[in-house]
Amino acid sequence: MGTQKEKEKEKEKDKDKDKDKDKDKDKDKDKEKENSNQSAGGKNAKSYGKIVLTLQNCLLPEEKLNSTPSHSDGLDTETETDLRILGCELIQTAGILLKLPQVAMATGQVIFQRFYYSKSLVRHNMETTAMGCVCLASKIEEAPRRIRDVINVFNHIKQVSSQKTIQPVILDQSYVTLKNQVIKAERRVLKELGFCVHVKHPHKIIVMYLQVLGYEKNRALMQQCWNYMNDSLRSDVFLRHQPETVACACVYLGARQLQLPLPATPAWFRLFKVSESSIRDVCRRVLRLYARPSISAEQLEKRVDELRRRYEEARAKARGGEVDGHTPSPPLPKHHNAWGGFISRSGTHAAPERAKSPRHSRSTSLSPSRTDIAKHGKRKKHSSRSRSRSHSHSRSRKPKKTQRRRSGSHKSSRSHYRSRSRSRDRGGDPDKTGKHRNKHRRH
């Protein structure tokens, strides 16, 4: 019995070995196929990028954070920082007027900061991009707002900040173009971010950390932490550090402001796996916001407009110069649109003015010969004559019929009148005269 069991076990082991060998052979075949495909493709093989979707915030490397596209276009660091702060303030104020939740406003500001690390503030208008970020963030956080409302709110903020008389937005062609620009800006933001627009906010994390530290009932500390967190959205700390680090920095600043002790042995931030150096870095960047002087939006717009004008002039020179001996093409008219020629997207059709050619101009080699013109003229005359004849025949026939009808009715009335007069003169019987009348009526 023992020998039979051992033999069966050996057979099973041999079967398992055979299966493993078959699997190894299949793997070798797959590798050979991949190698053959790569060698066959050679230079024509396309290399595809990959998109990583995570529930954590996308952090940018230090190289990307230091050299921005705006800096490469000639915009200094201070002006770029002021424009970023101004854009985030616009999004926050517009969200309050639109009655958006704070999470939506925070998402819009983080998306705004991410976008301008990919594109330049010189080439893309800051205000239009801020409008697009508000529309996109409202959709992400499931509190959508109409583009018309967003434009009205931004117009109201601009009038109040510049101390002008508040006037409503006129629904004219400029409004339609602005609306199309906001839609384009929203699509551009989605495209540049690769549709990775998820943002993890430290609101809930702050509440959870305060519960761990035993300050969940301290409303003043919680409100102070939230205030620091909302102000930190104007900086780029969400692109440099994880939300847990930002939450620890906000708790540290709030407790320091209210002079509340935090556990030191062991250090409280080590419970949340955060380093002290990162907390200090976030605190410095947040506190710098309060030390910056306020600059008017008009001055920033003037600087950006000047750089944009230089950029457009350089671009026009690069495009408009003689390339390979060819002269530059003439500029397009104002109403020209690449989508439909001279038809604008708003539905208004503005055709270009046609140049009037002189009447007596000598024909070139492409003009038709005299014999062809003579033949064409004869055909035209013949067709016009035939049409006029047919038209005259059709007109002449109709009035003849009406004339006949009218003449016949006139004759019958005259004969009827004569018959009546004759019967009266003769003094005949009334029955005969009645019969005579009936006959005429039948006729």
Side-chain angles (χ1 to χ4, degrees), residues 172-197:
D172 55 354
Q173 184 63 32
S174 61
Y175 166 78
V176 175
T177 54
L178 179 59
K179 187 176 179 181
N180 291 333
Q181 286 174 4
V182 174
I183 294 168
K184 282 183 180 179
E186 185 180 354
R187 292 176 181 172
R188 194 180 296 114
V189 170
L190 281 171
K191 179 187 172 185
E192 290 301 322
L193 299 181
F195 290 83
C196 301
V197 291

PDB file of all heavy atoms in Angstrom, residues 172-197:
ATOM      1  N   ASP A 172     -24.455  92.004 -26.255  1.00  0.00           N
ATOM      2  CA  ASP A 172     -24.094  92.347 -27.622  1.00  0.00           C
ATOM      3  C   ASP A 172     -23.041  91.376 -28.137  1.00  0.00           C
ATOM      4  O   ASP A 172     -22.831  90.308 -27.547  1.00  0.00           O
ATOM      5  CB  ASP A 172     -23.596  93.793 -27.684  1.00  0.00           C
ATOM      6  CG  ASP A 172     -22.440  94.030 -26.710  1.00  0.00           C
ATOM      7  OD1 ASP A 172     -22.138  93.095 -25.938  1.00  0.00           O
ATOM      8  OD2 ASP A 172     -21.857  95.128 -26.730  1.00  0.00           O
ATOM      9  N   GLN A 173     -22.387  91.765 -29.215  1.00  0.00           N
ATOM     10  CA  GLN A 173     -21.407  90.866 -29.833  1.00  0.00           C
ATOM     11  C   GLN A 173     -20.200  90.642 -28.925  1.00  0.00           C
ATOM     12  O   GLN A 173     -19.632  89.545 -28.889  1.00  0.00           O
ATOM     13  CB  GLN A 173     -20.947  91.466 -31.163  1.00  0.00           C
ATOM     14  CG  GLN A 173     -20.003  90.581 -31.963  1.00  0.00           C
ATOM     15  CD  GLN A 173     -20.655  89.279 -32.371  1.00  0.00           C
ATOM     16  OE1 GLN A 173     -21.864  89.237 -32.607  1.00  0.00           O
ATOM     17  NE2 GLN A 173     -19.878  88.221 -32.480  1.00  0.00           N
ATOM     18  N   SER A 174     -19.801  91.652 -28.154  1.00  0.00           N
ATOM     19  CA  SER A 174     -18.667  91.487 -27.238  1.00  0.00           C
ATOM     20  C   SER A 174     -18.983  90.473 -26.137  1.00  0.00           C
ATOM     21  O   SER A 174     -18.111  89.701 -25.716  1.00  0.00           O
ATOM     22  CB  SER A 174     -18.301  92.829 -26.610  1.00  0.00           C
ATOM     23  OG  SER A 174     -19.394  93.346 -25.869  1.00  0.00           O
ATOM     24  N   TYR A 175     -20.240  90.451 -25.690  1.00  0.00           N
ATOM     25  CA  TYR A 175     -20.636  89.449 -24.690  1.00  0.00           C
ATOM     26  C   TYR A 175     -20.558  88.036 -25.279  1.00  0.00           C
ATOM     27  O   TYR A 175     -20.099  87.097 -24.608  1.00  0.00           O
ATOM     28  CB  TYR A 175     -22.057  89.736 -24.208  1.00  0.00           C
ATOM     29  CG  TYR A 175     -22.686  88.598 -23.442  1.00  0.00           C
ATOM     30  CD1 TYR A 175     -22.359  88.346 -22.120  1.00  0.00           C
ATOM     31  CD2 TYR A 175     -23.614  87.753 -24.049  1.00  0.00           C
ATOM     32  CE1 TYR A 175     -22.927  87.295 -21.421  1.00  0.00           C
ATOM     33  CE2 TYR A 175     -24.187  86.710 -23.362  1.00  0.00           C
ATOM     34  CZ  TYR A 175     -23.836  86.489 -22.049  1.00  0.00           C
ATOM     35  OH  TYR A 175     -24.401  85.438 -21.374  1.00  0.00           O
ATOM     36  N   VAL A 176     -20.978  87.885 -26.523  1.00  0.00           N
ATOM     37  CA  VAL A 176     -20.938  86.563 -27.170  1.00  0.00           C
ATOM     38  C   VAL A 176     -19.498  86.092 -27.333  1.00  0.00           C
ATOM     39  O   VAL A 176     -19.170  84.926 -27.077  1.00  0.00           O
ATOM     40  CB  VAL A 176     -21.663  86.614 -28.529  1.00  0.00           C
ATOM     41  CG1 VAL A 176     -21.527  85.290 -29.265  1.00  0.00           C
ATOM     42  CG2 VAL A 176     -23.134  86.945 -28.335  1.00  0.00           C
ATOM     43  N   THR A 177     -18.607  87.006 -27.725  1.00  0.00           N
ATOM     44  CA  THR A 177     -17.193  86.627 -27.876  1.00  0.00           C
ATOM     45  C   THR A 177     -16.570  86.268 -26.530  1.00  0.00           C
ATOM     46  O   THR A 177     -15.784  85.318 -26.433  1.00  0.00           O
ATOM     47  CB  THR A 177     -16.410  87.778 -28.518  1.00  0.00           C
ATOM     48  OG1 THR A 177     -16.629  88.981 -27.757  1.00  0.00           O
ATOM     49  CG2 THR A 177     -16.853  88.001 -29.947  1.00  0.00           C
ATOM     50  N   LEU A 178     -16.930  87.024 -25.477  1.00  0.00           N
ATOM     51  CA  LEU A 178     -16.405  86.708 -24.145  1.00  0.00           C
ATOM     52  C   LEU A 178     -16.900  85.347 -23.667  1.00  0.00           C
ATOM     53  O   LEU A 178     -16.147  84.568 -23.065  1.00  0.00           O
ATOM     54  CB  LEU A 178     -16.813  87.802 -23.160  1.00  0.00           C
ATOM     55  CG  LEU A 178     -16.358  87.622 -21.705  1.00  0.00           C
ATOM     56  CD1 LEU A 178     -14.843  87.542 -21.620  1.00  0.00           C
ATOM     57  CD2 LEU A 178     -16.875  88.749 -20.835  1.00  0.00           C
ATOM     58  N   LYS A 179     -18.149  85.050 -23.942  1.00  0.00           N
ATOM     59  CA  LYS A 179     -18.709  83.744 -23.552  1.00  0.00           C
ATOM     60  C   LYS A 179     -17.977  82.613 -24.266  1.00  0.00           C
ATOM     61  O   LYS A 179     -17.643  81.581 -23.655  1.00  0.00           O
ATOM     62  CB  LYS A 179     -20.195  83.717 -23.881  1.00  0.00           C
ATOM     63  CG  LYS A 179     -20.930  82.496 -23.370  1.00  0.00           C
ATOM     64  CD  LYS A 179     -22.410  82.607 -23.658  1.00  0.00           C
ATOM     65  CE  LYS A 179     -23.155  81.370 -23.161  1.00  0.00           C
ATOM     66  NZ  LYS A 179     -24.602  81.448 -23.449  1.00  0.00           N
ATOM     67  N   ASN A 180     -17.709  82.796 -25.547  1.00  0.00           N
ATOM     68  CA  ASN A 180     -16.959  81.772 -26.294  1.00  0.00           C
ATOM     69  C   ASN A 180     -15.537  81.627 -25.761  1.00  0.00           C
ATOM     70  O   ASN A 180     -14.987  80.523 -25.712  1.00  0.00           O
ATOM     71  CB  ASN A 180     -16.922  82.138 -27.778  1.00  0.00           C
ATOM     72  CG  ASN A 180     -18.280  82.012 -28.432  1.00  0.00           C
ATOM     73  OD1 ASN A 180     -19.123  81.224 -28.003  1.00  0.00           O
ATOM     74  ND2 ASN A 180     -18.525  82.808 -29.454  1.00  0.00           N
ATOM     75  N   GLN A 181     -14.934  82.738 -25.342  1.00  0.00           N
ATOM     76  CA  GLN A 181     -13.586  82.677 -24.769  1.00  0.00           C
ATOM     77  C   GLN A 181     -13.567  81.916 -23.446  1.00  0.00           C
ATOM     78  O   GLN A 181     -12.623  81.169 -23.166  1.00  0.00           O
ATOM     79  CB  GLN A 181     -13.054  84.092 -24.563  1.00  0.00           C
ATOM     80  CG  GLN A 181     -12.649  84.795 -25.842  1.00  0.00           C
ATOM     81  CD  GLN A 181     -12.263  86.239 -25.614  1.00  0.00           C
ATOM     82  OE1 GLN A 181     -12.218  86.703 -24.477  1.00  0.00           O
ATOM     83  NE2 GLN A 181     -11.986  86.959 -26.692  1.00  0.00           N
ATOM     84  N   VAL A 182     -14.607  82.088 -22.632  1.00  0.00           N
ATOM     85  CA  VAL A 182     -14.687  81.355 -21.351  1.00  0.00           C
ATOM     86  C   VAL A 182     -14.830  79.856 -21.609  1.00  0.00           C
ATOM     87  O   VAL A 182     -14.205  79.024 -20.936  1.00  0.00           O
ATOM     88  CB  VAL A 182     -15.855  81.884 -20.507  1.00  0.00           C
ATOM     89  CG1 VAL A 182     -16.049  81.034 -19.251  1.00  0.00           C
ATOM     90  CG2 VAL A 182     -15.609  83.331 -20.104  1.00  0.00           C
ATOM     91  N   ILE A 183     -15.647  79.494 -22.585  1.00  0.00           N
ATOM     92  CA  ILE A 183     -15.821  78.073 -22.929  1.00  0.00           C
ATOM     93  C   ILE A 183     -14.495  77.487 -23.418  1.00  0.00           C
ATOM     94  O   ILE A 183     -14.100  76.373 -23.048  1.00  0.00           O
ATOM     95  CB  ILE A 183     -16.928  77.918 -23.993  1.00  0.00           C
ATOM     96  CG1 ILE A 183     -18.287  78.313 -23.409  1.00  0.00           C
ATOM     97  CG2 ILE A 183     -16.991  76.480 -24.507  1.00  0.00           C
ATOM     98  CD1 ILE A 183     -19.368  78.474 -24.444  1.00  0.00           C
ATOM     99  N   LYS A 184     -13.775  78.257 -24.257  1.00  0.00           N
ATOM    100  CA  LYS A 184     -12.468  77.796 -24.737  1.00  0.00           C
ATOM    101  C   LYS A 184     -11.475  77.656 -23.591  1.00  0.00           C
ATOM    102  O   LYS A 184     -10.670  76.710 -23.561  1.00  0.00           O
ATOM    103  CB  LYS A 184     -11.922  78.784 -25.769  1.00  0.00           C
ATOM    104  CG  LYS A 184     -12.535  78.656 -27.146  1.00  0.00           C
ATOM    105  CD  LYS A 184     -11.861  79.631 -28.081  1.00  0.00           C
ATOM    106  CE  LYS A 184     -12.450  79.523 -29.480  1.00  0.00           C
ATOM    107  NZ  LYS A 184     -11.814  80.493 -30.401  1.00  0.00           N
ATOM    108  N   ALA A 185     -11.512  78.609 -22.654  1.00  0.00           N
ATOM    109  CA  ALA A 185     -10.586  78.558 -21.510  1.00  0.00           C
ATOM    110  C   ALA A 185     -10.849  77.326 -20.656  1.00  0.00           C
ATOM    111  O   ALA A 185      -9.909  76.663 -20.192  1.00  0.00           O
ATOM    112  CB  ALA A 185     -10.734  79.824 -20.671  1.00  0.00           C
ATOM    113  N   GLU A 186     -12.119  76.995 -20.459  1.00  0.00           N
ATOM    114  CA  GLU A 186     -12.448  75.794 -19.673  1.00  0.00           C
ATOM    115  C   GLU A 186     -11.928  74.531 -20.354  1.00  0.00           C
ATOM    116  O   GLU A 186     -11.352  73.649 -19.707  1.00  0.00           O
ATOM    117  CB  GLU A 186     -13.970  75.727 -19.504  1.00  0.00           C
ATOM    118  CG  GLU A 186     -14.442  74.611 -18.605  1.00  0.00           C
ATOM    119  CD  GLU A 186     -15.948  74.593 -18.464  1.00  0.00           C
ATOM    120  OE1 GLU A 186     -16.614  75.522 -18.966  1.00  0.00           O
ATOM    121  OE2 GLU A 186     -16.465  73.642 -17.857  1.00  0.00           O
ATOM    122  N   ARG A 187     -12.088  74.464 -21.668  1.00  0.00           N
ATOM    123  CA  ARG A 187     -11.583  73.293 -22.397  1.00  0.00           C
ATOM    124  C   ARG A 187     -10.057  73.242 -22.374  1.00  0.00           C
ATOM    125  O   ARG A 187      -9.460  72.162 -22.285  1.00  0.00           O
ATOM    126  CB  ARG A 187     -12.074  73.346 -23.851  1.00  0.00           C
ATOM    127  CG  ARG A 187     -13.575  73.153 -23.992  1.00  0.00           C
ATOM    128  CD  ARG A 187     -13.974  73.314 -25.430  1.00  0.00           C
ATOM    129  NE  ARG A 187     -15.417  73.165 -25.617  1.00  0.00           N
ATOM    130  CZ  ARG A 187     -16.057  73.405 -26.757  1.00  0.00           C
ATOM    131  NH1 ARG A 187     -15.375  73.795 -27.813  1.00  0.00           N
ATOM    132  NH2 ARG A 187     -17.360  73.261 -26.844  1.00  0.00           N
ATOM    133  N   ARG A 188      -9.436  74.410 -22.473  1.00  0.00           N
ATOM    134  CA  ARG A 188      -7.967  74.457 -22.464  1.00  0.00           C
ATOM    135  C   ARG A 188      -7.418  73.986 -21.123  1.00  0.00           C
ATOM    136  O   ARG A 188      -6.397  73.277 -21.074  1.00  0.00           O
ATOM    137  CB  ARG A 188      -7.504  75.879 -22.765  1.00  0.00           C
ATOM    138  CG  ARG A 188      -6.030  75.977 -23.100  1.00  0.00           C
ATOM    139  CD  ARG A 188      -5.620  77.400 -23.390  1.00  0.00           C
ATOM    140  NE  ARG A 188      -6.283  77.924 -24.570  1.00  0.00           N
ATOM    141  CZ  ARG A 188      -7.167  78.919 -24.561  1.00  0.00           C
ATOM    142  NH1 ARG A 188      -7.504  79.492 -23.422  1.00  0.00           N
ATOM    143  NH2 ARG A 188      -7.722  79.346 -25.669  1.00  0.00           N
ATOM    144  N   VAL A 189      -8.068  74.370 -20.033  1.00  0.00           N
ATOM    145  CA  VAL A 189      -7.626  73.925 -18.704  1.00  0.00           C
ATOM    146  C   VAL A 189      -7.730  72.409 -18.592  1.00  0.00           C
ATOM    147  O   VAL A 189      -6.811  71.734 -18.104  1.00  0.00           O
ATOM    148  CB  VAL A 189      -8.461  74.627 -17.610  1.00  0.00           C
ATOM    149  CG1 VAL A 189      -8.193  73.999 -16.249  1.00  0.00           C
ATOM    150  CG2 VAL A 189      -8.141  76.103 -17.556  1.00  0.00           C
ATOM    151  N   LEU A 190      -8.835  71.852 -19.056  1.00  0.00           N
ATOM    152  CA  LEU A 190      -9.003  70.396 -19.025  1.00  0.00           C
ATOM    153  C   LEU A 190      -7.935  69.692 -19.854  1.00  0.00           C
ATOM    154  O   LEU A 190      -7.385  68.662 -19.456  1.00  0.00           O
ATOM    155  CB  LEU A 190     -10.394  70.023 -19.536  1.00  0.00           C
ATOM    156  CG  LEU A 190     -11.559  70.184 -18.560  1.00  0.00           C
ATOM    157  CD1 LEU A 190     -12.870  69.993 -19.289  1.00  0.00           C
ATOM    158  CD2 LEU A 190     -11.454  69.203 -17.425  1.00  0.00           C
ATOM    159  N   LYS A 191      -7.649  70.257 -21.014  1.00  0.00           N
ATOM    160  CA  LYS A 191      -6.663  69.636 -21.902  1.00  0.00           C
ATOM    161  C   LYS A 191      -5.265  69.680 -21.294  1.00  0.00           C
ATOM    162  O   LYS A 191      -4.534  68.683 -21.318  1.00  0.00           O
ATOM    163  CB  LYS A 191      -6.676  70.370 -23.247  1.00  0.00           C
ATOM    164  CG  LYS A 191      -5.673  69.828 -24.242  1.00  0.00           C
ATOM    165  CD  LYS A 191      -5.621  70.700 -25.471  1.00  0.00           C
ATOM    166  CE  LYS A 191      -4.491  70.278 -26.387  1.00  0.00           C
ATOM    167  NZ  LYS A 191      -4.344  71.193 -27.544  1.00  0.00           N
ATOM    168  N   GLU A 192      -4.882  70.831 -20.738  1.00  0.00           N
ATOM    169  CA  GLU A 192      -3.533  70.967 -20.191  1.00  0.00           C
ATOM    170  C   GLU A 192      -3.331  70.112 -18.949  1.00  0.00           C
ATOM    171  O   GLU A 192      -2.243  69.607 -18.717  1.00  0.00           O
ATOM    172  CB  GLU A 192      -3.247  72.436 -19.866  1.00  0.00           C
ATOM    173  CG  GLU A 192      -3.084  73.313 -21.085  1.00  0.00           C
ATOM    174  CD  GLU A 192      -1.962  72.851 -21.982  1.00  0.00           C
ATOM    175  OE1 GLU A 192      -0.917  72.415 -21.445  1.00  0.00           O
ATOM    176  OE2 GLU A 192      -2.117  72.910 -23.209  1.00  0.00           O
ATOM    177  N   LEU A 193      -4.372  69.956 -18.148  1.00  0.00           N
ATOM    178  CA  LEU A 193      -4.255  69.135 -16.940  1.00  0.00           C
ATOM    179  C   LEU A 193      -4.501  67.655 -17.223  1.00  0.00           C
ATOM    180  O   LEU A 193      -4.452  66.838 -16.296  1.00  0.00           O
ATOM    181  CB  LEU A 193      -5.227  69.624 -15.871  1.00  0.00           C
ATOM    182  CG  LEU A 193      -5.033  71.070 -15.393  1.00  0.00           C
ATOM    183  CD1 LEU A 193      -6.041  71.404 -14.315  1.00  0.00           C
ATOM    184  CD2 LEU A 193      -3.621  71.290 -14.884  1.00  0.00           C
ATOM    185  N   GLY A 194      -4.773  67.310 -18.461  1.00  0.00           N
ATOM    186  CA  GLY A 194      -5.009  65.907 -18.801  1.00  0.00           C
ATOM    187  C   GLY A 194      -6.249  65.328 -18.138  1.00  0.00           C
ATOM    188  O   GLY A 194      -6.311  64.132 -17.873  1.00  0.00           O
ATOM    189  N   PHE A 195      -7.244  66.193 -17.884  1.00  0.00           N
ATOM    190  CA  PHE A 195      -8.495  65.799 -17.230  1.00  0.00           C
ATOM    191  C   PHE A 195      -8.280  65.247 -15.819  1.00  0.00           C
ATOM    192  O   PHE A 195      -9.178  64.644 -15.250  1.00  0.00           O
ATOM    193  CB  PHE A 195      -9.275  64.793 -18.088  1.00  0.00           C
ATOM    194  CG  PHE A 195      -9.864  65.389 -19.335  1.00  0.00           C
ATOM    195  CD1 PHE A 195      -9.095  65.550 -20.480  1.00  0.00           C
ATOM    196  CD2 PHE A 195     -11.175  65.807 -19.359  1.00  0.00           C
ATOM    197  CE1 PHE A 195      -9.624  66.119 -21.627  1.00  0.00           C
ATOM    198  CE2 PHE A 195     -11.713  66.368 -20.496  1.00  0.00           C
ATOM    199  CZ  PHE A 195     -10.946  66.529 -21.634  1.00  0.00           C
ATOM    200  N   CYS A 196      -7.096  65.469 -15.248  1.00  0.00           N
ATOM    201  CA  CYS A 196      -6.819  65.086 -13.860  1.00  0.00           C
ATOM    202  C   CYS A 196      -7.090  66.298 -12.975  1.00  0.00           C
ATOM    203  O   CYS A 196      -6.176  67.068 -12.644  1.00  0.00           O
ATOM    204  CB  CYS A 196      -5.384  64.602 -13.704  1.00  0.00           C
ATOM    205  SG  CYS A 196      -4.991  63.186 -14.737  1.00  0.00           S
ATOM    206  N   VAL A 197      -8.332  66.491 -12.624  1.00  0.00           N
ATOM    207  CA  VAL A 197      -8.755  67.690 -11.899  1.00  0.00           C
ATOM    208  C   VAL A 197      -9.180  67.356 -10.469  1.00  0.00           C
ATOM    209  O   VAL A 197      -9.835  68.173  -9.818  1.00  0.00           O
ATOM    210  CB  VAL A 197      -9.908  68.400 -12.645  1.00  0.00           C
ATOM    211  CG1 VAL A 197      -9.413  69.009 -13.934  1.00  0.00           C
ATOM    212  CG2 VAL A 197     -11.055  67.439 -12.935  1.00  0.00           C
TER     213      VAL A 197
END
